Amino acid sequence: QVLLVESGGGLVQPGASLRLSCAASGRTFSSYGMAWFRQAPGTGRKFIAAISGSGTTTYPLDSVKGRFTISRDNAKNMAYLQIGNMKAEDTAVYYCAAGPGYGPVSAVEYDYWGQGTQVTVSS
């Protein structure tokens, strides 16, 4: 069992940067790949980026790789998503997930999910 809790969301202005965090509880955190997904109003849950268990390899979605960076700190049981130059279309609920640690894939490929954190980009 892996418990995940996202934090760091909120209301930000276009052009700002934001770092989302995902705290994991469990004894085998490094055995799980991690990923971030987001879900905008009226849409499905979409893949953003994944990272391998060791943190060596990342799999960003092509459309976001210039602004989104996924990372993890296994010593702290934490995963992160750094977002730069935020845009209105980034407004969504952001979720971290534990599973295979690659992508892009459907949300059903991941096994454990946090509760989500709301990110709203508006001036």
Side-chain angles (χ1 to χ4, degrees), residues 20-38:
L20 305 181
S21 298
C22 177
S25 61
R27 298 181 180 181
T28 57
F29 179 62
S30 64
S31 297
Y32 293 92
M34 297 293 295
W36 288 91
F37 291 73
R38 67 184 180 184

Side-chain angles (χ1 to χ4, degrees), residues 16-80:
S17 296
L18 191 67
R19 190 191 200 193
L20 305 181
S21 298
C22 177
S25 61
R27 298 181 180 181
T28 57
F29 179 62
S30 64
S31 297
Y32 293 92
M34 297 293 295
W36 288 91
F37 291 73
R38 67 184 180 184
Q39 186 166 10
T43 72
R45 193 169 299 186
K46 302 296 180 62
F47 176 90
I48 302 172
I51 187 167
S52 63
S54 68
T56 300
T57 309
T58 61
Y59 303 85
L61 190 67
D62 285 346
S63 61
V64 306
K65 64 173 60 176
R67 297 190 297 115
F68 289 66
T69 302
I70 188 170
S71 62
R72 67 191 295 162
D73 186 341
N74 288 346
K76 298 180 178 179
N77 277 21
M78 297 287 291
Y80 306 97

